[in-house]
Amino acid sequence: MSLHEQLETNIEVIKGQRHQFLILSFQANIESKVIDVLKELGTTTFNVNLLLANKLKELPISKRKRAVKDILREALNEVKDEIIYFERIEYLFDEELNQDPIKLFEYLSGNKVLLIKWPGDMSGNGLIYATPDHPEYYQVDGYQDHLVVI
């Protein structure tokens, strides 16, 4: 199965579900191929780190946590595409923002299919970001229906 077919099949499976998001894991050496396929599928790409950094720098630290959902929701509402690709999501793990990235993507995925490039590891049916001794450590299980390894 080609990369295009694999992504298209996974997107069709997730469409119409309550939470329409897929967590993608792939090697850096095929990233350009994945990006090409996503363009063919008509996706808009958001660099989450850049988007949040630009918007949050105007806010006091005490208001940043609550603003994350609104900033990302507003960005989604500004595009017409059905499929949105989120890359560079590491800022979501920052202690300052105090977010649960997967819960955030569940919330955002109501009307559009979200494809999220996972910056950490996948083990079994779980996702891991950072190591247990790191302040940004994050681990969650139970999302096997949303995981796509390319």
Side-chain angles (χ1 to χ4, degrees), residues 48-65 67-68 71 91 96-97:
V48 175
N49 291 347
L50 184 61
L51 176 65
L52 290 177
N54 286 335
K55 298 282 187 174
L56 293 175
K57 70 182 178 186
E58 301 165 7
L59 296 175
I61 292 173
S62 62
K63 294 188 177 185
R64 292 178 183 174
K65 174 185 174 185
V68 171
I71 291 168
Y91 191 17
E96 169 188 281
L97 299 183

mmCIF file of all heavy atoms in Angstrom, residues 48-65 67-68 71 91 96-97:
data_model
loop_
_atom_site.group_PDB
_atom_site.id
_atom_site.type_symbol
_atom_site.label_atom_id
_atom_site.label_comp_id
_atom_site.label_asym_id
_atom_site.label_seq_id
_atom_site.Cartn_x
_atom_site.Cartn_y
_atom_site.Cartn_z
ATOM 1 N N VAL A 48 2.489 24.475 15.256
ATOM 2 C CA VAL A 48 1.880 24.855 16.531
ATOM 3 C C VAL A 48 2.831 25.712 17.361
ATOM 4 O O VAL A 48 2.413 26.713 17.959
ATOM 5 C CB VAL A 48 1.419 23.608 17.315
ATOM 6 C CG1 VAL A 48 0.894 23.984 18.689
ATOM 7 C CG2 VAL A 48 0.346 22.865 16.522
ATOM 8 N N ASN A 49 4.097 25.345 17.409
ATOM 9 C CA ASN A 49 5.064 26.124 18.188
ATOM 10 C C ASN A 49 5.082 27.578 17.735
ATOM 11 O O ASN A 49 5.022 28.503 18.559
ATOM 12 C CB ASN A 49 6.469 25.541 18.064
ATOM 13 C CG ASN A 49 6.621 24.206 18.743
ATOM 14 O OD1 ASN A 49 5.783 23.780 19.517
ATOM 15 N ND2 ASN A 49 7.704 23.515 18.429
ATOM 16 N N LEU A 50 5.172 27.797 16.438
ATOM 17 C CA LEU A 50 5.252 29.147 15.885
ATOM 18 C C LEU A 50 3.948 29.913 16.109
ATOM 19 O O LEU A 50 3.953 31.069 16.538
ATOM 20 C CB LEU A 50 5.583 29.071 14.395
ATOM 21 C CG LEU A 50 5.798 30.388 13.675
ATOM 22 C CD1 LEU A 50 6.972 31.145 14.283
ATOM 23 C CD2 LEU A 50 6.051 30.130 12.189
ATOM 24 N N LEU A 51 2.835 29.252 15.825
ATOM 25 C CA LEU A 51 1.532 29.889 15.999
ATOM 26 C C LEU A 51 1.331 30.342 17.449
ATOM 27 O O LEU A 51 0.978 31.502 17.714
ATOM 28 C CB LEU A 51 0.423 28.918 15.589
ATOM 29 C CG LEU A 51 -1.009 29.379 15.794
ATOM 30 C CD1 LEU A 51 -1.341 30.569 14.902
ATOM 31 C CD2 LEU A 51 -1.972 28.235 15.514
ATOM 32 N N LEU A 52 1.569 29.441 18.391
ATOM 33 C CA LEU A 52 1.380 29.781 19.803
ATOM 34 C C LEU A 52 2.387 30.823 20.286
ATOM 35 O O LEU A 52 2.025 31.746 21.024
ATOM 36 C CB LEU A 52 1.452 28.534 20.676
ATOM 37 C CG LEU A 52 0.285 27.563 20.539
ATOM 38 C CD1 LEU A 52 0.516 26.333 21.404
ATOM 39 C CD2 LEU A 52 -1.043 28.215 20.877
ATOM 40 N N ALA A 53 3.631 30.683 19.885
ATOM 41 C CA ALA A 53 4.655 31.646 20.317
ATOM 42 C C ALA A 53 4.289 33.058 19.860
ATOM 43 O O ALA A 53 4.403 34.015 20.637
ATOM 44 C CB ALA A 53 6.022 31.244 19.781
ATOM 45 N N ASN A 54 3.829 33.187 18.621
ATOM 46 C CA ASN A 54 3.459 34.506 18.104
ATOM 47 C C ASN A 54 2.261 35.102 18.825
ATOM 48 O O ASN A 54 2.215 36.301 19.093
ATOM 49 C CB ASN A 54 3.171 34.433 16.601
ATOM 50 C CG ASN A 54 4.437 34.282 15.790
ATOM 51 O OD1 ASN A 54 5.517 34.663 16.220
ATOM 52 N ND2 ASN A 54 4.304 33.716 14.610
ATOM 53 N N LYS A 55 1.284 34.287 19.153
ATOM 54 C CA LYS A 55 0.061 34.781 19.795
ATOM 55 C C LYS A 55 0.219 34.952 21.310
ATOM 56 O O LYS A 55 -0.308 35.903 21.880
ATOM 57 C CB LYS A 55 -1.109 33.825 19.522
ATOM 58 C CG LYS A 55 -1.460 33.672 18.072
ATOM 59 C CD LYS A 55 -2.251 34.832 17.584
ATOM 60 C CE LYS A 55 -2.735 34.564 16.170
ATOM 61 N NZ LYS A 55 -3.633 35.605 15.696
ATOM 62 N N LEU A 56 0.926 34.032 21.941
ATOM 63 C CA LEU A 56 1.028 34.060 23.402
ATOM 64 C C LEU A 56 2.006 35.100 23.931
ATOM 65 O O LEU A 56 1.888 35.523 25.078
ATOM 66 C CB LEU A 56 1.399 32.678 23.938
ATOM 67 C CG LEU A 56 0.350 31.588 23.756
ATOM 68 C CD1 LEU A 56 0.900 30.240 24.225
ATOM 69 C CD2 LEU A 56 -0.934 31.921 24.480
ATOM 70 N N LYS A 57 2.942 35.526 23.102
ATOM 71 C CA LYS A 57 3.932 36.500 23.592
ATOM 72 C C LYS A 57 3.276 37.823 23.990
ATOM 73 O O LYS A 57 3.809 38.572 24.787
ATOM 74 C CB LYS A 57 5.026 36.727 22.557
ATOM 75 C CG LYS A 57 4.587 37.482 21.326
ATOM 76 C CD LYS A 57 5.712 37.631 20.330
ATOM 77 C CE LYS A 57 5.219 38.342 19.085
ATOM 78 N NZ LYS A 57 6.236 38.376 18.053
ATOM 79 N N GLU A 58 2.082 38.069 23.459
ATOM 80 C CA GLU A 58 1.359 39.301 23.768
ATOM 81 C C GLU A 58 0.588 39.208 25.087
ATOM 82 O O GLU A 58 0.086 40.205 25.577
ATOM 83 C CB GLU A 58 0.382 39.612 22.633
ATOM 84 C CG GLU A 58 1.070 39.774 21.297
ATOM 85 C CD GLU A 58 0.105 39.720 20.115
ATOM 86 O OE1 GLU A 58 -1.120 39.691 20.333
ATOM 87 O OE2 GLU A 58 0.603 39.704 18.988
ATOM 88 N N LEU A 59 0.489 37.996 25.633
ATOM 89 C CA LEU A 59 -0.302 37.781 26.845
ATOM 90 C C LEU A 59 0.588 37.599 28.072
ATOM 91 O O LEU A 59 1.680 37.045 27.974
ATOM 92 C CB LEU A 59 -1.153 36.518 26.697
ATOM 93 C CG LEU A 59 -2.218 36.511 25.618
ATOM 94 C CD1 LEU A 59 -2.869 35.142 25.537
ATOM 95 C CD2 LEU A 59 -3.260 37.580 25.891
ATOM 96 N N PRO A 60 0.087 38.009 29.232
ATOM 97 C CA PRO A 60 0.839 37.707 30.457
ATOM 98 C C PRO A 60 0.839 36.195 30.699
ATOM 99 O O PRO A 60 -0.083 35.488 30.287
ATOM 100 C CB PRO A 60 0.059 38.440 31.558
ATOM 101 C CG PRO A 60 -1.228 38.862 30.965
ATOM 102 C CD PRO A 60 -1.120 38.781 29.481
ATOM 103 N N ILE A 61 1.849 35.707 31.361
ATOM 104 C CA ILE A 61 2.002 34.274 31.604
ATOM 105 C C ILE A 61 0.749 33.686 32.260
ATOM 106 O O ILE A 61 0.321 32.585 31.917
ATOM 107 C CB ILE A 61 3.263 33.996 32.457
ATOM 108 C CG1 ILE A 61 4.508 34.319 31.639
ATOM 109 C CG2 ILE A 61 3.293 32.557 32.945
ATOM 110 C CD1 ILE A 61 5.806 34.254 32.406
ATOM 111 N N SER A 62 0.129 34.412 33.138
ATOM 112 C CA SER A 62 -1.040 33.902 33.861
ATOM 113 C C SER A 62 -2.240 33.625 32.944
ATOM 114 O O SER A 62 -3.125 32.861 33.295
ATOM 115 C CB SER A 62 -1.456 34.893 34.955
ATOM 116 O OG SER A 62 -1.826 36.132 34.370
ATOM 117 N N LYS A 63 -2.287 34.212 31.765
ATOM 118 C CA LYS A 63 -3.423 34.025 30.855
ATOM 119 C C LYS A 63 -3.122 33.068 29.701
ATOM 120 O O LYS A 63 -4.011 32.748 28.925
ATOM 121 C CB LYS A 63 -3.867 35.371 30.296
ATOM 122 C CG LYS A 63 -4.420 36.280 31.359
ATOM 123 C CD LYS A 63 -5.025 37.510 30.774
ATOM 124 C CE LYS A 63 -5.625 38.333 31.907
ATOM 125 N NZ LYS A 63 -6.343 39.486 31.410
ATOM 126 N N ARG A 64 -1.901 32.628 29.593
ATOM 127 C CA ARG A 64 -1.506 31.801 28.451
ATOM 128 C C ARG A 64 -2.179 30.434 28.442
ATOM 129 O O ARG A 64 -2.584 29.950 27.397
ATOM 130 C CB ARG A 64 0.015 31.657 28.401
ATOM 131 C CG ARG A 64 0.686 32.959 28.068
ATOM 132 C CD ARG A 64 2.175 32.860 28.048
ATOM 133 N NE ARG A 64 2.732 34.186 27.783
ATOM 134 C CZ ARG A 64 4.007 34.460 27.803
ATOM 135 N NH1 ARG A 64 4.895 33.507 28.076
ATOM 136 N NH2 ARG A 64 4.420 35.678 27.563
ATOM 137 N N LYS A 65 -2.291 29.809 29.591
ATOM 138 C CA LYS A 65 -2.870 28.465 29.668
ATOM 139 C C LYS A 65 -4.272 28.441 29.060
ATOM 140 O O LYS A 65 -4.605 27.577 28.260
ATOM 141 C CB LYS A 65 -2.911 28.005 31.130
ATOM 142 C CG LYS A 65 -3.619 26.691 31.329
ATOM 143 C CD LYS A 65 -3.739 26.330 32.797
ATOM 144 C CE LYS A 65 -4.588 25.092 32.958
ATOM 145 N NZ LYS A 65 -4.826 24.763 34.349
ATOM 146 N N ALA A 67 -5.605 30.557 26.995
ATOM 147 C CA ALA A 67 -5.669 31.087 25.628
ATOM 148 C C ALA A 67 -5.342 30.039 24.561
ATOM 149 O O ALA A 67 -5.716 30.200 23.400
ATOM 150 C CB ALA A 67 -4.721 32.275 25.493
ATOM 151 N N VAL A 68 -4.670 28.961 24.932
ATOM 152 C CA VAL A 68 -4.215 27.965 23.957
ATOM 153 C C VAL A 68 -5.375 27.410 23.136
ATOM 154 O O VAL A 68 -5.325 27.398 21.906
ATOM 155 C CB VAL A 68 -3.426 26.830 24.643
ATOM 156 C CG1 VAL A 68 -3.136 25.692 23.681
ATOM 157 C CG2 VAL A 68 -2.128 27.368 25.228
ATOM 158 N N ILE A 71 -6.810 30.059 20.722
ATOM 159 C CA ILE A 71 -5.909 30.371 19.603
ATOM 160 C C ILE A 71 -5.975 29.276 18.544
ATOM 161 O O ILE A 71 -6.103 29.551 17.355
ATOM 162 C CB ILE A 71 -4.464 30.564 20.108
ATOM 163 C CG1 ILE A 71 -4.360 31.842 20.932
ATOM 164 C CG2 ILE A 71 -3.466 30.564 18.945
ATOM 165 C CD1 ILE A 71 -3.070 31.978 21.720
ATOM 166 N N TYR A 91 5.650 22.748 22.117
ATOM 167 C CA TYR A 91 5.309 23.814 23.062
ATOM 168 C C TYR A 91 4.095 23.426 23.923
ATOM 169 O O TYR A 91 3.962 23.866 25.060
ATOM 170 C CB TYR A 91 5.044 25.112 22.299
ATOM 171 C CG TYR A 91 4.940 26.368 23.142
ATOM 172 C CD1 TYR A 91 5.415 26.428 24.450
ATOM 173 C CD2 TYR A 91 4.388 27.520 22.608
ATOM 174 C CE1 TYR A 91 5.324 27.595 25.199
ATOM 175 C CE2 TYR A 91 4.285 28.692 23.348
ATOM 176 C CZ TYR A 91 4.750 28.719 24.640
ATOM 177 O OH TYR A 91 4.650 29.875 25.372
ATOM 178 N N GLU A 96 4.589 25.735 31.485
ATOM 179 C CA GLU A 96 3.921 27.036 31.544
ATOM 180 C C GLU A 96 2.486 26.959 31.005
ATOM 181 O O GLU A 96 1.584 27.598 31.524
ATOM 182 C CB GLU A 96 4.725 28.047 30.719
ATOM 183 C CG GLU A 96 4.035 29.350 30.459
ATOM 184 C CD GLU A 96 4.813 30.202 29.471
ATOM 185 O OE1 GLU A 96 5.795 30.830 29.888
ATOM 186 O OE2 GLU A 96 4.409 30.244 28.290
ATOM 187 N N LEU A 97 2.281 26.157 29.978
ATOM 188 C CA LEU A 97 0.957 26.063 29.363
ATOM 189 C C LEU A 97 0.050 25.059 30.053
ATOM 190 O O LEU A 97 -1.168 25.130 29.913
ATOM 191 C CB LEU A 97 1.077 25.712 27.876
ATOM 192 C CG LEU A 97 1.832 26.712 27.010
ATOM 193 C CD1 LEU A 97 1.804 26.272 25.560
ATOM 194 C CD2 LEU A 97 1.276 28.110 27.169
#
